[in-house]
mmCIF file of all heavy atoms in Angstrom:
data_model
loop_
_atom_site.group_PDB
_atom_site.id
_atom_site.type_symbol
_atom_site.label_atom_id
_atom_site.label_comp_id
_atom_site.label_asym_id
_atom_site.label_seq_id
_atom_site.Cartn_x
_atom_site.Cartn_y
_atom_site.Cartn_z
ATOM 1 N N ASP A 80 0.717 -1.271 0.029
ATOM 2 C CA ASP A 80 -0.018 -0.014 -0.015
ATOM 3 C C ASP A 80 0.895 1.351 0.087
ATOM 4 O O ASP A 80 0.415 2.332 -0.565
ATOM 5 C CB ASP A 80 -1.002 0.083 1.197
ATOM 6 C CG ASP A 80 -2.097 -1.137 1.137
ATOM 7 O OD1 ASP A 80 -2.323 -1.484 0.014
ATOM 8 O OD2 ASP A 80 -2.635 -1.314 2.087
ATOM 9 N N ALA A 81 1.979 1.170 0.717
ATOM 10 C CA ALA A 81 2.905 2.345 0.778
ATOM 11 C C ALA A 81 3.216 2.909 -0.670
ATOM 12 O O ALA A 81 3.321 4.059 -0.899
ATOM 13 C CB ALA A 81 4.053 2.121 1.523
ATOM 14 N N PHE A 82 3.636 1.897 -1.486
ATOM 15 C CA PHE A 82 3.904 2.344 -2.945
ATOM 16 C C PHE A 82 2.786 2.818 -3.730
ATOM 17 O O PHE A 82 2.927 3.820 -4.402
ATOM 18 C CB PHE A 82 4.459 1.083 -3.619
ATOM 19 C CG PHE A 82 4.934 1.426 -5.107
ATOM 20 C CD1 PHE A 82 6.172 1.989 -5.248
ATOM 21 C CD2 PHE A 82 4.172 1.105 -6.162
ATOM 22 C CE1 PHE A 82 6.548 2.234 -6.570
ATOM 23 C CE2 PHE A 82 4.509 1.438 -7.404
ATOM 24 C CZ PHE A 82 5.780 2.020 -7.689
ATOM 25 N N ALA A 83 1.631 2.276 -3.439
ATOM 26 C CA ALA A 83 0.513 2.849 -4.182
ATOM 27 C C ALA A 83 0.203 4.245 -3.713
ATOM 28 O O ALA A 83 -0.245 5.113 -4.594
ATOM 29 C CB ALA A 83 -0.787 1.762 -3.828
ATOM 30 N N TRP A 84 0.248 4.459 -2.486
ATOM 31 C CA TRP A 84 -0.041 5.849 -1.898
ATOM 32 C C TRP A 84 0.992 6.816 -2.562
ATOM 33 O O TRP A 84 0.793 7.949 -2.922
ATOM 34 C CB TRP A 84 -0.025 5.944 -0.451
ATOM 35 C CG TRP A 84 -0.915 5.094 0.283
ATOM 36 C CD1 TRP A 84 -2.178 4.726 -0.102
ATOM 37 C CD2 TRP A 84 -0.787 4.414 1.610
ATOM 38 N NE1 TRP A 84 -2.853 3.986 0.841
ATOM 39 C CE2 TRP A 84 -2.032 3.774 1.856
ATOM 40 C CE3 TRP A 84 0.172 4.537 2.509
ATOM 41 C CZ2 TRP A 84 -2.260 3.185 3.095
ATOM 42 C CZ3 TRP A 84 -0.030 3.836 3.799
ATOM 43 C CH2 TRP A 84 -1.248 3.130 4.108
ATOM 44 N N SER A 85 2.268 6.367 -2.675
ATOM 45 C CA SER A 85 3.431 7.212 -3.116
ATOM 46 C C SER A 85 3.072 7.595 -4.690
ATOM 47 O O SER A 85 3.309 8.757 -4.903
ATOM 48 C CB SER A 85 4.694 6.399 -2.997
ATOM 49 O OG SER A 85 5.022 6.060 -1.730
ATOM 50 N N THR A 86 2.555 6.773 -5.381
ATOM 51 C CA THR A 86 2.402 7.243 -6.723
ATOM 52 C C THR A 86 1.215 8.120 -6.866
ATOM 53 O O THR A 86 1.173 8.950 -7.912
ATOM 54 C CB THR A 86 1.957 5.873 -7.652
ATOM 55 O OG1 THR A 86 0.742 5.362 -7.244
ATOM 56 C CG2 THR A 86 3.103 4.841 -7.592
ATOM 57 N N LYS A 87 0.383 8.254 -5.879
ATOM 58 C CA LYS A 87 -0.683 9.184 -5.901
ATOM 59 C C LYS A 87 -0.349 10.615 -5.306
ATOM 60 O O LYS A 87 -1.117 11.535 -5.462
ATOM 61 C CB LYS A 87 -1.936 8.711 -5.108
ATOM 62 C CG LYS A 87 -2.519 7.339 -5.830
ATOM 63 C CD LYS A 87 -3.687 6.726 -4.961
ATOM 64 C CE LYS A 87 -4.214 5.547 -5.583
ATOM 65 N NZ LYS A 87 -5.334 4.941 -4.798
ATOM 66 N N CYS A 88 0.822 10.750 -4.519
ATOM 67 C CA CYS A 88 1.091 11.893 -3.947
ATOM 68 C C CYS A 88 2.605 12.378 -4.329
ATOM 69 O O CYS A 88 3.164 13.226 -3.449
ATOM 70 C CB CYS A 88 0.852 11.929 -2.425
ATOM 71 S SG CYS A 88 1.952 10.734 -1.539
ATOM 72 N N VAL A 89 3.186 11.738 -5.381
ATOM 73 C CA VAL A 89 4.547 12.202 -5.663
ATOM 74 C C VAL A 89 4.430 13.404 -6.752
ATOM 75 O O VAL A 89 3.386 13.517 -7.402
ATOM 76 C CB VAL A 89 5.311 11.009 -6.510
ATOM 77 C CG1 VAL A 89 4.511 10.631 -7.765
ATOM 78 C CG2 VAL A 89 6.703 11.320 -6.694
ATOM 79 N N ALA A 90 5.245 14.350 -6.583
ATOM 80 C CA ALA A 90 5.229 15.526 -7.259
ATOM 81 C C ALA A 90 5.662 15.477 -8.720
ATOM 82 O O ALA A 90 6.153 14.357 -9.162
ATOM 83 C CB ALA A 90 6.240 16.570 -6.624
ATOM 84 N N PHE A 91 5.377 16.372 -9.547
ATOM 85 C CA PHE A 91 5.895 16.442 -10.960
ATOM 86 C C PHE A 91 7.337 16.364 -10.847
ATOM 87 O O PHE A 91 8.024 17.097 -10.202
ATOM 88 C CB PHE A 91 5.379 17.750 -11.548
ATOM 89 C CG PHE A 91 6.023 18.048 -12.888
ATOM 90 C CD1 PHE A 91 5.528 17.533 -13.938
ATOM 91 C CD2 PHE A 91 7.022 19.126 -12.925
ATOM 92 C CE1 PHE A 91 6.152 17.717 -15.178
ATOM 93 C CE2 PHE A 91 7.635 19.348 -14.261
ATOM 94 C CZ PHE A 91 7.271 18.675 -15.367
ATOM 95 N N GLU A 92 7.851 15.626 -11.635
ATOM 96 C CA GLU A 92 9.366 15.180 -11.784
ATOM 97 C C GLU A 92 9.851 14.653 -10.349
ATOM 98 O O GLU A 92 11.047 14.721 -10.051
ATOM 99 C CB GLU A 92 10.189 16.379 -12.134
ATOM 100 C CG GLU A 92 9.994 16.841 -13.616
ATOM 101 C CD GLU A 92 11.006 17.744 -14.131
ATOM 102 O OE1 GLU A 92 11.544 18.602 -13.347
ATOM 103 O OE2 GLU A 92 11.352 17.610 -15.314
ATOM 104 N N GLY A 93 8.920 13.985 -9.609
ATOM 105 C CA GLY A 93 9.375 13.400 -8.310
ATOM 106 C C GLY A 93 9.989 12.200 -8.618
ATOM 107 O O GLY A 93 10.035 11.525 -9.754
ATOM 108 N N ARG A 94 10.693 11.626 -7.456
ATOM 109 C CA ARG A 94 11.367 10.311 -7.548
ATOM 110 C C ARG A 94 11.003 9.412 -6.562
ATOM 111 O O ARG A 94 11.139 9.807 -5.300
ATOM 112 C CB ARG A 94 12.964 10.669 -7.429
ATOM 113 C CG ARG A 94 13.520 11.390 -8.641
ATOM 114 C CD ARG A 94 13.425 12.983 -8.556
ATOM 115 N NE ARG A 94 14.379 13.377 -7.656
ATOM 116 C CZ ARG A 94 14.098 14.748 -7.115
ATOM 117 N NH1 ARG A 94 13.085 15.483 -7.259
ATOM 118 N NH2 ARG A 94 15.070 15.210 -6.291
ATOM 119 N N ILE A 95 10.714 8.191 -6.752
ATOM 120 C CA ILE A 95 10.280 7.215 -5.908
ATOM 121 C C ILE A 95 11.332 6.139 -5.725
ATOM 122 O O ILE A 95 11.693 5.598 -6.802
ATOM 123 C CB ILE A 95 8.907 6.587 -6.169
ATOM 124 C CG1 ILE A 95 7.731 7.400 -6.244
ATOM 125 C CG2 ILE A 95 8.620 5.333 -5.138
ATOM 126 C CD1 ILE A 95 6.428 6.782 -6.713
ATOM 127 N N VAL A 96 12.027 5.979 -4.547
ATOM 128 C CA VAL A 96 13.203 5.234 -4.394
ATOM 129 C C VAL A 96 12.636 4.017 -3.744
ATOM 130 O O VAL A 96 12.154 3.904 -2.655
ATOM 131 C CB VAL A 96 14.270 5.841 -3.416
ATOM 132 C CG1 VAL A 96 15.461 4.869 -3.403
ATOM 133 C CG2 VAL A 96 14.629 7.106 -3.971
ATOM 134 N N VAL A 97 12.800 2.733 -4.555
ATOM 135 C CA VAL A 97 12.281 1.446 -3.871
ATOM 136 C C VAL A 97 13.432 0.806 -3.158
ATOM 137 O O VAL A 97 14.372 0.391 -3.835
ATOM 138 C CB VAL A 97 11.814 0.530 -5.224
ATOM 139 C CG1 VAL A 97 11.299 -0.704 -4.661
ATOM 140 C CG2 VAL A 97 10.743 1.348 -5.987
ATOM 141 N N VAL A 98 13.285 0.710 -2.012
ATOM 142 C CA VAL A 98 14.371 0.175 -1.187
ATOM 143 C C VAL A 98 14.095 -1.270 -0.654
ATOM 144 O O VAL A 98 15.028 -2.006 -0.386
ATOM 145 C CB VAL A 98 14.638 1.080 0.110
ATOM 146 C CG1 VAL A 98 15.794 0.673 1.012
ATOM 147 C CG2 VAL A 98 14.712 2.477 -0.218
ATOM 148 N N GLY A 99 12.825 -1.626 -0.534
ATOM 149 C CA GLY A 99 12.543 -3.043 -0.053
ATOM 150 C C GLY A 99 11.076 -3.190 0.043
ATOM 151 O O GLY A 99 10.282 -2.345 -0.248
ATOM 152 N N PHE A 100 10.624 -4.379 0.598
ATOM 153 C CA PHE A 100 9.272 -4.736 0.549
ATOM 154 C C PHE A 100 8.925 -5.446 2.105
ATOM 155 O O PHE A 100 8.551 -6.473 2.048
ATOM 156 C CB PHE A 100 8.949 -5.736 -0.458
ATOM 157 C CG PHE A 100 9.490 -5.272 -1.853
ATOM 158 C CD1 PHE A 100 10.610 -5.898 -2.288
ATOM 159 C CD2 PHE A 100 8.894 -4.283 -2.458
ATOM 160 C CE1 PHE A 100 11.217 -5.464 -3.562
ATOM 161 C CE2 PHE A 100 9.570 -3.830 -3.660
ATOM 162 C CZ PHE A 100 10.581 -4.427 -4.187
ATOM 163 N N ALA A 101 9.201 -4.548 3.067
ATOM 164 C CA ALA A 101 8.917 -5.028 4.423
ATOM 165 C C ALA A 101 7.478 -5.598 4.628
ATOM 166 O O ALA A 101 7.212 -6.394 5.597
ATOM 167 C CB ALA A 101 9.241 -3.930 5.485
ATOM 168 N N SER A 102 6.614 -4.979 3.781
ATOM 169 C CA SER A 102 5.163 -5.317 3.886
ATOM 170 C C SER A 102 4.910 -6.709 3.431
ATOM 171 O O SER A 102 3.862 -7.367 3.828
ATOM 172 C CB SER A 102 4.250 -4.393 3.036
ATOM 173 O OG SER A 102 4.567 -4.679 1.701
ATOM 174 N N GLY A 103 5.867 -7.342 2.786
ATOM 175 C CA GLY A 103 5.738 -8.684 2.163
ATOM 176 C C GLY A 103 5.046 -8.741 0.788
ATOM 177 O O GLY A 103 4.949 -9.673 0.134
ATOM 178 N N THR A 104 4.521 -7.435 0.403
ATOM 179 C CA THR A 104 3.946 -7.425 -1.043
ATOM 180 C C THR A 104 4.861 -6.520 -1.950
ATOM 181 O O THR A 104 5.211 -5.449 -1.625
ATOM 182 C CB THR A 104 2.619 -6.721 -0.902
ATOM 183 O OG1 THR A 104 1.678 -7.498 0.156
ATOM 184 C CG2 THR A 104 1.939 -6.572 -2.181
ATOM 185 N N VAL A 105 5.239 -7.183 -3.048
ATOM 186 C CA VAL A 105 5.953 -6.573 -4.105
ATOM 187 C C VAL A 105 5.068 -5.935 -5.047
ATOM 188 O O VAL A 105 4.300 -6.590 -5.808
ATOM 189 C CB VAL A 105 6.844 -7.578 -4.813
ATOM 190 C CG1 VAL A 105 7.640 -6.743 -5.834
ATOM 191 C CG2 VAL A 105 7.853 -8.177 -3.803
ATOM 192 N N PRO A 106 4.940 -4.576 -5.196
ATOM 193 C CA PRO A 106 3.996 -3.916 -5.881
ATOM 194 C C PRO A 106 4.315 -4.021 -7.433
ATOM 195 O O PRO A 106 5.478 -4.237 -7.786
ATOM 196 C CB PRO A 106 3.953 -2.511 -5.509
ATOM 197 C CG PRO A 106 5.431 -2.280 -4.954
ATOM 198 C CD PRO A 106 5.833 -3.639 -4.376
ATOM 199 N N GLN A 107 3.199 -4.038 -8.292
ATOM 200 C CA GLN A 107 3.383 -4.089 -9.786
ATOM 201 C C GLN A 107 3.320 -2.621 -10.292
ATOM 202 O O GLN A 107 2.173 -2.118 -10.094
ATOM 203 C CB GLN A 107 2.432 -4.975 -10.339
ATOM 204 C CG GLN A 107 2.599 -6.392 -9.964
ATOM 205 C CD GLN A 107 3.791 -7.011 -10.306
ATOM 206 O OE1 GLN A 107 4.253 -7.009 -11.343
ATOM 207 N NE2 GLN A 107 4.537 -7.597 -9.298
ATOM 208 N N ALA A 108 4.332 -1.927 -10.691
ATOM 209 C CA ALA A 108 4.357 -0.561 -11.099
ATOM 210 C C ALA A 108 3.548 -0.466 -12.406
ATOM 211 O O ALA A 108 3.753 -1.098 -13.408
ATOM 212 C CB ALA A 108 5.648 -0.021 -11.227
ATOM 213 N N ALA A 109 2.712 0.533 -12.494
ATOM 214 C CA ALA A 109 1.905 0.895 -13.703
ATOM 215 C C ALA A 109 2.737 1.991 -14.442
ATOM 216 O O ALA A 109 2.732 3.105 -14.116
ATOM 217 C CB ALA A 109 0.450 1.380 -13.305
ATOM 218 N N LEU A 110 3.405 1.525 -15.434
ATOM 219 C CA LEU A 110 4.302 2.428 -16.069
ATOM 220 C C LEU A 110 3.620 3.575 -16.892
ATOM 221 O O LEU A 110 4.176 4.611 -17.040
ATOM 222 C CB LEU A 110 5.295 1.683 -17.079
ATOM 223 C CG LEU A 110 6.150 0.574 -16.367
ATOM 224 C CD1 LEU A 110 7.133 0.002 -17.298
ATOM 225 C CD2 LEU A 110 6.987 1.348 -15.208
ATOM 226 N N ASN A 111 2.404 3.163 -17.352
ATOM 227 C CA ASN A 111 1.447 4.255 -17.990
ATOM 228 C C ASN A 111 1.220 5.393 -16.942
ATOM 229 O O ASN A 111 1.154 6.610 -17.260
ATOM 230 C CB ASN A 111 0.246 3.731 -18.470
ATOM 231 C CG ASN A 111 -0.699 3.148 -17.450
ATOM 232 O OD1 ASN A 111 -0.137 2.537 -16.458
ATOM 233 N ND2 ASN A 111 -1.926 3.171 -17.564
ATOM 234 N N HIS A 112 1.125 5.164 -15.685
ATOM 235 C CA HIS A 112 0.837 6.032 -14.674
ATOM 236 C C HIS A 112 2.265 7.033 -14.484
ATOM 237 O O HIS A 112 1.931 8.115 -14.366
ATOM 238 C CB HIS A 112 0.380 5.362 -13.385
ATOM 239 C CG HIS A 112 -0.093 6.406 -12.343
ATOM 240 N ND1 HIS A 112 0.604 6.826 -11.255
ATOM 241 C CD2 HIS A 112 -1.236 7.033 -12.126
ATOM 242 C CE1 HIS A 112 0.003 7.671 -10.520
ATOM 243 N NE2 HIS A 112 -1.165 7.792 -10.992
ATOM 244 N N ALA A 113 3.274 6.308 -14.372
ATOM 245 C CA ALA A 113 4.520 7.054 -14.264
ATOM 246 C C ALA A 113 4.661 7.960 -15.488
ATOM 247 O O ALA A 113 5.316 9.121 -15.363
ATOM 248 C CB ALA A 113 5.630 6.170 -14.112
ATOM 249 N N LEU A 114 4.434 7.452 -16.601
ATOM 250 C CA LEU A 114 4.481 8.453 -17.837
ATOM 251 C C LEU A 114 3.587 9.599 -17.783
ATOM 252 O O LEU A 114 3.963 10.737 -18.020
ATOM 253 C CB LEU A 114 4.156 7.491 -18.970
ATOM 254 C CG LEU A 114 4.243 8.138 -20.436
ATOM 255 C CD1 LEU A 114 4.595 6.996 -21.500
ATOM 256 C CD2 LEU A 114 2.888 8.826 -20.920
ATOM 257 N N VAL A 115 2.289 9.425 -17.313
ATOM 258 C CA VAL A 115 1.305 10.422 -17.444
ATOM 259 C C VAL A 115 1.676 11.468 -16.344
ATOM 260 O O VAL A 115 1.497 12.658 -16.548
ATOM 261 C CB VAL A 115 -0.089 9.865 -17.222
ATOM 262 C CG1 VAL A 115 -1.051 10.982 -17.044
ATOM 263 C CG2 VAL A 115 -0.541 8.925 -18.364
ATOM 264 N N LYS A 116 2.101 10.968 -15.277
ATOM 265 C CA LYS A 116 2.377 12.015 -14.125
ATOM 266 C C LYS A 116 3.692 12.501 -14.170
ATOM 267 O O LYS A 116 4.149 13.369 -13.318
ATOM 268 C CB LYS A 116 2.112 11.217 -12.685
ATOM 269 C CG LYS A 116 0.567 11.095 -12.388
ATOM 270 C CD LYS A 116 0.320 10.772 -10.919
ATOM 271 C CE LYS A 116 0.789 12.104 -10.010
ATOM 272 N NZ LYS A 116 0.402 11.818 -8.586
ATOM 273 N N ASN A 117 4.583 11.882 -14.969
ATOM 274 C CA ASN A 117 6.039 12.274 -15.165
ATOM 275 C C ASN A 117 6.902 12.209 -13.819
ATOM 276 O O ASN A 117 7.487 13.193 -13.421
ATOM 277 C CB ASN A 117 6.098 13.809 -15.594
ATOM 278 C CG ASN A 117 7.316 14.090 -16.380
ATOM 279 O OD1 ASN A 117 7.627 13.440 -17.358
ATOM 280 N ND2 ASN A 117 7.998 15.194 -15.969
ATOM 281 N N TYR A 118 6.864 10.907 -13.196
ATOM 282 C CA TYR A 118 7.709 10.748 -12.177
ATOM 283 C C TYR A 118 8.654 9.538 -12.428
ATOM 284 O O TYR A 118 8.373 8.889 -13.438
ATOM 285 C CB TYR A 118 6.899 10.555 -10.884
ATOM 286 C CG TYR A 118 6.031 9.305 -10.882
ATOM 287 C CD1 TYR A 118 6.486 8.027 -10.594
ATOM 288 C CD2 TYR A 118 4.583 9.421 -11.151
ATOM 289 C CE1 TYR A 118 5.551 6.861 -10.612
ATOM 290 C CE2 TYR A 118 3.779 8.348 -11.087
ATOM 291 C CZ TYR A 118 4.230 7.049 -10.821
ATOM 292 O OH TYR A 118 3.383 6.000 -10.821
ATOM 293 N N THR A 119 9.721 9.351 -11.695
ATOM 294 C CA THR A 119 10.674 8.286 -11.786
ATOM 295 C C THR A 119 10.525 7.286 -10.665
ATOM 296 O O THR A 119 10.331 7.679 -9.474
ATOM 297 C CB THR A 119 12.055 8.933 -11.920
ATOM 298 O OG1 THR A 119 12.097 9.961 -12.814
ATOM 299 C CG2 THR A 119 13.140 7.973 -12.124
ATOM 300 N N ILE A 120 10.630 6.155 -11.102
ATOM 301 C CA ILE A 120 10.826 5.018 -10.130
ATOM 302 C C ILE A 120 12.174 4.430 -10.090
ATOM 303 O O ILE A 120 12.747 4.028 -11.212
ATOM 304 C CB ILE A 120 9.836 3.803 -10.418
ATOM 305 C CG1 ILE A 120 8.450 4.328 -10.405
ATOM 306 C CG2 ILE A 120 10.040 2.595 -9.390
ATOM 307 C CD1 ILE A 120 7.387 3.247 -11.020
ATOM 308 N N LEU A 121 12.959 4.549 -8.965
ATOM 309 C CA LEU A 121 14.283 4.342 -8.934
ATOM 310 C C LEU A 121 14.506 2.947 -7.973
ATOM 311 O O LEU A 121 14.101 2.961 -6.756
ATOM 312 C CB LEU A 121 15.162 5.417 -8.403
ATOM 313 C CG LEU A 121 15.090 6.702 -9.132
ATOM 314 C CD1 LEU A 121 15.554 7.839 -8.262
ATOM 315 C CD2 LEU A 121 15.983 6.579 -10.332
ATOM 316 N N GLY A 122 15.178 1.961 -8.467
ATOM 317 C CA GLY A 122 15.530 0.832 -7.657
ATOM 318 C C GLY A 122 16.788 1.082 -6.877
ATOM 319 O O GLY A 122 17.788 1.782 -7.394
ATOM 320 N N LEU A 123 17.006 0.585 -5.709
ATOM 321 C CA LEU A 123 18.300 0.719 -4.973
ATOM 322 C C LEU A 123 18.585 -0.641 -4.403
ATOM 323 O O LEU A 123 17.928 -1.250 -3.456
ATOM 324 C CB LEU A 123 18.194 1.781 -3.764
ATOM 325 C CG LEU A 123 19.371 1.798 -3.014
ATOM 326 C CD1 LEU A 123 20.491 2.403 -3.752
ATOM 327 C CD2 LEU A 123 19.062 2.754 -1.705
ATOM 328 N N HIS A 124 19.659 -1.174 -4.833
ATOM 329 C CA HIS A 124 20.276 -2.337 -4.287
ATOM 330 C C HIS A 124 21.719 -1.935 -3.830
ATOM 331 O O HIS A 124 22.550 -1.993 -4.553
ATOM 332 C CB HIS A 124 20.356 -3.559 -5.291
ATOM 333 C CG HIS A 124 21.028 -4.692 -4.741
ATOM 334 N ND1 HIS A 124 21.202 -5.917 -5.690
ATOM 335 C CD2 HIS A 124 21.304 -5.155 -3.530
ATOM 336 C CE1 HIS A 124 21.799 -6.839 -4.850
ATOM 337 N NE2 HIS A 124 21.871 -6.545 -3.677
ATOM 338 N N TRP A 125 21.826 -1.649 -2.574
ATOM 339 C CA TRP A 125 23.161 -0.936 -2.042
ATOM 340 C C TRP A 125 24.184 -1.935 -2.185
ATOM 341 O O TRP A 125 25.333 -1.670 -2.454
ATOM 342 C CB TRP A 125 22.868 -0.518 -0.634
ATOM 343 C CG TRP A 125 24.256 -0.182 0.122
ATOM 344 C CD1 TRP A 125 24.941 1.007 -0.141
ATOM 345 C CD2 TRP A 125 25.003 -1.004 0.885
ATOM 346 N NE1 TRP A 125 26.094 0.969 0.559
ATOM 347 C CE2 TRP A 125 26.157 -0.269 1.163
ATOM 348 C CE3 TRP A 125 24.728 -2.192 1.451
ATOM 349 C CZ2 TRP A 125 27.100 -0.721 2.009
ATOM 350 C CZ3 TRP A 125 25.762 -2.748 2.436
ATOM 351 C CH2 TRP A 125 26.866 -2.008 2.651
#
């Protein structure tokens, strides 16, 4: 749910950093939504 909320309240040219899945649920990103809202999804494997 945290990722879903994030896509709804991220700013224009915002960046969502995906760090992990402590909830146990790996979200499926809707790339059309990222395109329309013009935000970036960034993976981080330190």
Side-chain angles (χ1 to χ4, degrees):
D80 289 340
F82 180 82
W84 298 334
S85 300
T86 64
K87 295 176 182 178
C88 63
V89 65
F91 171 76
E92 292 194 326
R94 292 85 78 198
I95 300 174
V96 185
V97 178
V98 183
F100 312 106
S102 68
T104 301
V105 179
Q107 301 298 309
L110 296 186
N111 61 324
H112 192 260
L114 183 153
V115 170
K116 287 197 67 177
N117 206 53
Y118 62 84
T119 302
I120 302 169
L121 298 163
L123 175 64
H124 180 187
W125 170 76

